[in-house]
Amino acid sequence: MTRVFSGVKPTGHLTLGNYLGAMRRWAAVDQHQADALFCIVDLHALTVDHDPARVRRLSRQAATLLLATGLDPELCTVFVQSHVDEHARLSYLLECVATDGEMRRMIQYKEKAGRERERGGSVRLSLLTYPVLMAADILAYGTVEVPVGDDQAQHVELARDLAVRFNQRYGHTFVVPRATHPAVANRVMNLQDPTSKMGKSDDVGSGIVYLLDEPEAVRKKVLRAVTDSGQEVVYDREARPGVANLLEILAACTDGNPSDLSGVYESYGALKKDTAEAVVEVLRPVQERHKELCADPGYVEGVLRDGAERARAMARPTVDEAYRAIGLLPAVAAASETVTGAAVGG
């Protein structure tokens, strides 16, 4: 089966954008059609100032929500990035293949570093280099497909470039991955700023629908969504971004088409009302399952433990081979291990 890898970063509460843009597809499609790994990429959360307790709390919540959306540990591998040492081991090797220029051209680095400097803060080195860690996340598993939104496509391209470069210099070691994109709601936008993505760590909370928002909070946020000048409901991402965002969300929730839906409504109010109800209904089973899982924390811990074990077994041969290929001396087994092995063999 095709190997698929994707992950969520515990830097904020997961949103409707995370669900419609990625997580729902993981549960409905990817885990059934591929050898799929889904990871809470907690090491990526350390690239900016953070509260350690909050990172741990959000990591657990993200794992629980992944399972609540329908991921089945019998069909796929769900684990936490920091529980598998191979990610960090491979990241340094890939840093030795990447260039400073490549890192500084990454769009997200430019944006995040710029915002940090505006606030008068310092920029962590890990913010510059974390795309290499992301490449390691992907390449360690022989990943073929990486389901991502448009904003992450540049990171997959970097993983491809590093894989090709490593293979050319040191011998074929890595599978060269490709990005895949869902057809609808590829990028859900902020309800108060429809030109910006609905991000987990945005300051404008009123424009973000979180997966665990109460139904009334969801309705209030959607009904207060920014629309556009004029009254006609037209699907035009450039000229009418607010209405287009609502149509895309409604289409994703109802398996419809944004263009077709635009002809159904004569007012923004009616569109908002139906979109709000559609979002409430699509989130209802996720929230109910999340509540059940929270009542059984031992189950979630067991899934993460078994997932890390399985992921480690998959990643280690590739990472060990990369160490050998790049010129590092293999570790010598400890004397106790040699004696034990000889005794077993005898």
Side-chain angles (χ1 to χ4, degrees), residues 264-304:
V264 174
Y265 296 95
E266 296 182 356
S267 71
Y268 293 163
L271 171 60
K272 287 182 177 182
K273 184 174 181 298
D274 281 3
T275 302
E277 293 307 317
V279 172
V280 167
E281 288 308 310
V282 86
L283 293 184
R284 190 184 306 280
V286 175
Q287 294 178 351
E288 289 174 353
R289 179 58 178 150
H290 177 267
K291 187 176 181 180
E292 293 172 1
L293 290 168
C294 285
D296 187 7
Y299 173 76
V300 177
E301 290 171 4
V303 168
L304 296 179

Short mmCIF file of all heavy atoms in Angstrom, two decimals, residues 264-304:
data_model
loop_
_atom_site.label_atom_id
_atom_site.label_comp_id
_atom_site.label_asym_id
_atom_site.label_seq_id
_atom_site.Cartn_x
_atom_site.Cartn_y
_atom_site.Cartn_z
N VAL A 264 -28.44 28.93 -4.80
CA VAL A 264 -29.56 28.53 -3.94
C VAL A 264 -30.01 29.67 -3.04
O VAL A 264 -31.18 29.75 -2.65
CB VAL A 264 -29.15 27.31 -3.08
CG1 VAL A 264 -30.23 26.96 -2.07
CG2 VAL A 264 -28.83 26.12 -3.98
N TYR A 265 -29.10 30.60 -2.72
CA TYR A 265 -29.38 31.60 -1.70
C TYR A 265 -29.59 32.99 -2.29
O TYR A 265 -28.89 33.41 -3.22
CB TYR A 265 -28.24 31.64 -0.69
CG TYR A 265 -28.12 30.35 0.09
CD1 TYR A 265 -27.23 29.35 -0.33
CD2 TYR A 265 -28.93 30.11 1.18
CE1 TYR A 265 -27.14 28.15 0.36
CE2 TYR A 265 -28.85 28.90 1.87
CZ TYR A 265 -27.96 27.93 1.45
OH TYR A 265 -27.90 26.75 2.13
N GLU A 266 -30.56 33.70 -1.71
CA GLU A 266 -30.86 35.06 -2.14
C GLU A 266 -30.36 36.09 -1.15
O GLU A 266 -30.43 37.29 -1.43
CB GLU A 266 -32.37 35.22 -2.36
CG GLU A 266 -32.91 34.34 -3.48
CD GLU A 266 -34.40 34.56 -3.70
OE1 GLU A 266 -34.99 35.35 -2.92
OE2 GLU A 266 -34.95 33.97 -4.66
N SER A 267 -29.89 35.64 0.01
CA SER A 267 -29.40 36.60 1.01
C SER A 267 -28.24 36.01 1.79
O SER A 267 -28.11 34.78 1.92
CB SER A 267 -30.53 36.97 1.99
OG SER A 267 -30.83 35.87 2.83
N TYR A 268 -27.40 36.89 2.31
CA TYR A 268 -26.28 36.45 3.15
C TYR A 268 -26.79 35.79 4.43
O TYR A 268 -26.20 34.83 4.93
CB TYR A 268 -25.39 37.63 3.52
CG TYR A 268 -24.64 38.25 2.36
CD1 TYR A 268 -24.08 39.52 2.47
CD2 TYR A 268 -24.47 37.57 1.16
CE1 TYR A 268 -23.36 40.10 1.42
CE2 TYR A 268 -23.77 38.12 0.11
CZ TYR A 268 -23.22 39.40 0.25
OH TYR A 268 -22.52 39.96 -0.79
N GLY A 269 -27.89 36.32 4.98
CA GLY A 269 -28.42 35.79 6.22
C GLY A 269 -28.81 34.32 6.12
O GLY A 269 -28.50 33.52 7.00
N ALA A 270 -29.48 33.96 5.04
CA ALA A 270 -29.89 32.57 4.84
C ALA A 270 -28.68 31.67 4.66
O ALA A 270 -28.64 30.54 5.19
CB ALA A 270 -30.80 32.47 3.62
N LEU A 271 -27.67 32.16 3.94
CA LEU A 271 -26.45 31.39 3.75
C LEU A 271 -25.75 31.16 5.09
O LEU A 271 -25.30 30.04 5.39
CB LEU A 271 -25.52 32.12 2.78
CG LEU A 271 -24.10 31.55 2.64
CD1 LEU A 271 -24.13 30.11 2.12
CD2 LEU A 271 -23.25 32.44 1.72
N LYS A 272 -25.66 32.20 5.88
CA LYS A 272 -24.99 32.07 7.19
C LYS A 272 -25.73 31.08 8.09
O LYS A 272 -25.11 30.26 8.77
CB LYS A 272 -24.90 33.43 7.88
CG LYS A 272 -23.88 34.37 7.27
CD LYS A 272 -23.85 35.68 8.07
CE LYS A 272 -22.79 36.62 7.55
NZ LYS A 272 -22.71 37.86 8.35
N LYS A 273 -27.06 31.17 8.10
CA LYS A 273 -27.86 30.30 8.96
C LYS A 273 -27.63 28.83 8.59
O LYS A 273 -27.38 27.99 9.47
CB LYS A 273 -29.34 30.65 8.84
CG LYS A 273 -30.26 29.87 9.78
CD LYS A 273 -31.68 30.39 9.70
CE LYS A 273 -32.59 29.63 10.66
NZ LYS A 273 -32.68 28.19 10.34
N ASP A 274 -27.70 28.51 7.32
CA ASP A 274 -27.51 27.12 6.89
C ASP A 274 -26.07 26.65 7.11
O ASP A 274 -25.85 25.50 7.46
CB ASP A 274 -27.87 26.98 5.41
CG ASP A 274 -29.38 26.92 5.20
OD1 ASP A 274 -30.13 27.05 6.18
OD2 ASP A 274 -29.81 26.76 4.03
N THR A 275 -25.13 27.55 6.91
CA THR A 275 -23.73 27.19 7.14
C THR A 275 -23.49 26.89 8.61
O THR A 275 -22.82 25.92 8.97
CB THR A 275 -22.78 28.31 6.67
OG1 THR A 275 -23.01 28.57 5.28
CG2 THR A 275 -21.32 27.92 6.87
N ALA A 276 -24.05 27.72 9.48
CA ALA A 276 -23.89 27.51 10.92
C ALA A 276 -24.44 26.16 11.34
O ALA A 276 -23.79 25.41 12.08
CB ALA A 276 -24.60 28.63 11.69
N GLU A 277 -25.63 25.82 10.87
CA GLU A 277 -26.24 24.53 11.25
C GLU A 277 -25.45 23.36 10.68
O GLU A 277 -25.31 22.31 11.32
CB GLU A 277 -27.70 24.47 10.79
CG GLU A 277 -28.61 25.44 11.51
CD GLU A 277 -28.52 25.31 13.03
OE1 GLU A 277 -28.49 24.18 13.54
OE2 GLU A 277 -28.45 26.36 13.71
N ALA A 278 -24.93 23.53 9.47
CA ALA A 278 -24.14 22.46 8.85
C ALA A 278 -22.86 22.20 9.64
O ALA A 278 -22.46 21.05 9.83
CB ALA A 278 -23.81 22.83 7.40
N VAL A 279 -22.24 23.27 10.13
CA VAL A 279 -21.01 23.12 10.92
C VAL A 279 -21.32 22.44 12.25
O VAL A 279 -20.59 21.54 12.69
CB VAL A 279 -20.33 24.49 11.15
CG1 VAL A 279 -19.17 24.35 12.13
CG2 VAL A 279 -19.83 25.06 9.83
N VAL A 280 -22.40 22.86 12.90
CA VAL A 280 -22.79 22.24 14.17
C VAL A 280 -22.99 20.74 14.00
O VAL A 280 -22.52 19.93 14.81
CB VAL A 280 -24.08 22.90 14.72
CG1 VAL A 280 -24.66 22.06 15.87
CG2 VAL A 280 -23.79 24.31 15.20
N GLU A 281 -23.65 20.36 12.93
CA GLU A 281 -23.95 18.94 12.71
C GLU A 281 -22.71 18.14 12.35
O GLU A 281 -22.57 16.98 12.76
CB GLU A 281 -25.01 18.79 11.62
CG GLU A 281 -26.39 19.20 12.06
CD GLU A 281 -26.82 18.51 13.35
OE1 GLU A 281 -26.71 17.27 13.44
OE2 GLU A 281 -27.24 19.22 14.29
N VAL A 282 -21.79 18.73 11.60
CA VAL A 282 -20.60 17.98 11.21
C VAL A 282 -19.66 17.79 12.40
O VAL A 282 -18.91 16.81 12.48
CB VAL A 282 -19.88 18.68 10.03
CG1 VAL A 282 -18.91 19.76 10.48
CG2 VAL A 282 -19.15 17.67 9.15
N LEU A 283 -19.71 18.71 13.38
CA LEU A 283 -18.87 18.61 14.56
C LEU A 283 -19.49 17.74 15.67
O LEU A 283 -18.77 17.27 16.55
CB LEU A 283 -18.57 19.99 15.13
CG LEU A 283 -17.70 20.92 14.27
CD1 LEU A 283 -17.43 22.21 15.02
CD2 LEU A 283 -16.40 20.24 13.87
N ARG A 284 -20.80 17.54 15.62
CA ARG A 284 -21.49 16.84 16.71
C ARG A 284 -20.89 15.45 17.01
O ARG A 284 -20.55 15.15 18.16
CB ARG A 284 -22.99 16.73 16.41
CG ARG A 284 -23.80 16.24 17.60
CD ARG A 284 -25.26 16.05 17.22
NE ARG A 284 -25.84 17.24 16.64
CZ ARG A 284 -26.27 18.28 17.33
NH1 ARG A 284 -26.17 18.28 18.65
NH2 ARG A 284 -26.80 19.32 16.71
N PRO A 285 -20.72 14.56 16.00
CA PRO A 285 -20.18 13.23 16.33
C PRO A 285 -18.74 13.27 16.82
O PRO A 285 -18.33 12.45 17.64
CB PRO A 285 -20.30 12.48 15.00
CG PRO A 285 -20.44 13.52 13.95
CD PRO A 285 -21.14 14.66 14.60
N VAL A 286 -17.97 14.24 16.35
CA VAL A 286 -16.58 14.38 16.80
C VAL A 286 -16.56 14.74 18.28
O VAL A 286 -15.80 14.17 19.08
CB VAL A 286 -15.83 15.44 15.98
CG1 VAL A 286 -14.43 15.67 16.52
CG2 VAL A 286 -15.78 15.04 14.51
N GLN A 287 -17.40 15.69 18.68
CA GLN A 287 -17.44 16.13 20.07
C GLN A 287 -17.96 15.03 20.99
O GLN A 287 -17.46 14.86 22.11
CB GLN A 287 -18.31 17.39 20.18
CG GLN A 287 -17.70 18.59 19.46
CD GLN A 287 -18.57 19.83 19.54
OE1 GLN A 287 -19.72 19.77 19.99
NE2 GLN A 287 -18.04 20.96 19.09
N GLU A 288 -18.92 14.26 20.51
CA GLU A 288 -19.46 13.17 21.34
C GLU A 288 -18.40 12.09 21.56
O GLU A 288 -18.24 11.58 22.68
CB GLU A 288 -20.70 12.58 20.66
CG GLU A 288 -21.90 13.51 20.69
CD GLU A 288 -23.08 12.97 19.90
OE1 GLU A 288 -22.92 11.92 19.22
OE2 GLU A 288 -24.17 13.59 19.96
N ARG A 289 -17.68 11.73 20.50
CA ARG A 289 -16.63 10.71 20.62
C ARG A 289 -15.48 11.23 21.48
O ARG A 289 -14.89 10.48 22.27
CB ARG A 289 -16.13 10.32 19.24
CG ARG A 289 -15.02 9.27 19.23
CD ARG A 289 -15.44 7.99 19.91
NE ARG A 289 -14.39 6.98 19.85
CZ ARG A 289 -14.20 6.05 20.76
NH1 ARG A 289 -15.02 5.95 21.81
NH2 ARG A 289 -13.22 5.17 20.64
N HIS A 290 -15.15 12.51 21.37
CA HIS A 290 -14.09 13.11 22.18
C HIS A 290 -14.43 12.99 23.66
O HIS A 290 -13.58 12.65 24.49
CB HIS A 290 -13.89 14.58 21.80
CG HIS A 290 -12.87 15.29 22.62
ND1 HIS A 290 -13.20 16.01 23.76
CD2 HIS A 290 -11.52 15.38 22.51
CE1 HIS A 290 -12.11 16.51 24.29
NE2 HIS A 290 -11.07 16.16 23.56
N LYS A 291 -15.68 13.23 24.01
CA LYS A 291 -16.12 13.13 25.39
C LYS A 291 -15.95 11.71 25.91
O LYS A 291 -15.50 11.49 27.05
CB LYS A 291 -17.58 13.58 25.50
CG LYS A 291 -18.10 13.67 26.92
CD LYS A 291 -19.52 14.22 26.93
CE LYS A 291 -20.04 14.33 28.36
NZ LYS A 291 -21.43 14.87 28.38
N GLU A 292 -16.28 10.73 25.09
CA GLU A 292 -16.13 9.32 25.48
C GLU A 292 -14.66 8.98 25.71
O GLU A 292 -14.31 8.29 26.68
CB GLU A 292 -16.70 8.41 24.39
CG GLU A 292 -18.21 8.50 24.22
CD GLU A 292 -18.68 7.72 23.00
OE1 GLU A 292 -17.83 7.10 22.32
OE2 GLU A 292 -19.90 7.73 22.72
N LEU A 293 -13.79 9.44 24.83
CA LEU A 293 -12.36 9.13 24.94
C LEU A 293 -11.73 9.79 26.16
O LEU A 293 -10.84 9.24 26.79
CB LEU A 293 -11.63 9.56 23.67
CG LEU A 293 -11.94 8.72 22.42
CD1 LEU A 293 -11.41 9.42 21.17
CD2 LEU A 293 -11.35 7.32 22.54
N CYS A 294 -12.19 11.00 26.49
CA CYS A 294 -11.66 11.69 27.67
C CYS A 294 -11.98 10.94 28.95
O CYS A 294 -11.27 11.06 29.95
CB CYS A 294 -12.22 13.11 27.74
SG CYS A 294 -11.48 14.24 26.54
N ALA A 295 -13.06 10.17 28.91
CA ALA A 295 -13.44 9.38 30.08
C ALA A 295 -12.60 8.11 30.21
O ALA A 295 -12.69 7.41 31.21
CB ALA A 295 -14.93 9.03 30.00
N ASP A 296 -11.78 7.82 29.19
CA ASP A 296 -10.94 6.61 29.20
C ASP A 296 -9.52 6.98 28.76
O ASP A 296 -9.06 6.56 27.70
CB ASP A 296 -11.55 5.56 28.26
CG ASP A 296 -10.84 4.22 28.34
OD1 ASP A 296 -9.97 4.06 29.23
OD2 ASP A 296 -11.15 3.33 27.51
N PRO A 297 -8.80 7.78 29.57
CA PRO A 297 -7.47 8.25 29.18
C PRO A 297 -6.47 7.12 28.97
O PRO A 297 -5.53 7.24 28.18
CB PRO A 297 -7.05 9.15 30.33
CG PRO A 297 -7.88 8.71 31.50
CD PRO A 297 -9.18 8.27 30.90
N GLY A 298 -6.67 5.99 29.65
CA GLY A 298 -5.76 4.86 29.48
C GLY A 298 -5.78 4.32 28.06
O GLY A 298 -4.75 3.85 27.56
N TYR A 299 -6.94 4.40 27.41
CA TYR A 299 -7.03 3.93 26.03
C TYR A 299 -6.17 4.79 25.11
O TYR A 299 -5.42 4.27 24.27
CB TYR A 299 -8.49 3.95 25.56
CG TYR A 299 -8.65 3.65 24.08
CD1 TYR A 299 -8.51 2.35 23.61
CD2 TYR A 299 -8.89 4.68 23.17
CE1 TYR A 299 -8.63 2.08 22.25
CE2 TYR A 299 -9.01 4.42 21.82
CZ TYR A 299 -8.88 3.11 21.36
OH TYR A 299 -8.98 2.85 20.02
N VAL A 300 -6.28 6.11 25.25
CA VAL A 300 -5.50 7.02 24.41
C VAL A 300 -4.01 6.81 24.64
O VAL A 300 -3.22 6.77 23.70
CB VAL A 300 -5.90 8.49 24.68
CG1 VAL A 300 -5.04 9.45 23.84
CG2 VAL A 300 -7.38 8.71 24.36
N GLU A 301 -3.61 6.67 25.90
CA GLU A 301 -2.19 6.44 26.21
C GLU A 301 -1.69 5.15 25.57
O GLU A 301 -0.57 5.09 25.05
CB GLU A 301 -1.99 6.39 27.73
CG GLU A 301 -2.17 7.74 28.40
CD GLU A 301 -2.19 7.63 29.91
OE1 GLU A 301 -2.00 6.50 30.43
OE2 GLU A 301 -2.40 8.67 30.57
N GLY A 302 -2.53 4.12 25.59
CA GLY A 302 -2.15 2.85 24.98
C GLY A 302 -1.99 2.97 23.48
O GLY A 302 -1.06 2.39 22.90
N VAL A 303 -2.88 3.73 22.84
CA VAL A 303 -2.78 3.94 21.40
C VAL A 303 -1.47 4.64 21.05
O VAL A 303 -0.77 4.25 20.11
CB VAL A 303 -3.98 4.77 20.89
CG1 VAL A 303 -3.74 5.24 19.45
CG2 VAL A 303 -5.26 3.95 20.94
N LEU A 304 -1.12 5.66 21.83
CA LEU A 304 0.11 6.41 21.56
C LEU A 304 1.35 5.57 21.82
O LEU A 304 2.34 5.65 21.08
CB LEU A 304 0.14 7.68 22.41
CG LEU A 304 -0.94 8.72 22.10
CD1 LEU A 304 -0.81 9.92 23.03
CD2 LEU A 304 -0.91 9.16 20.64
#
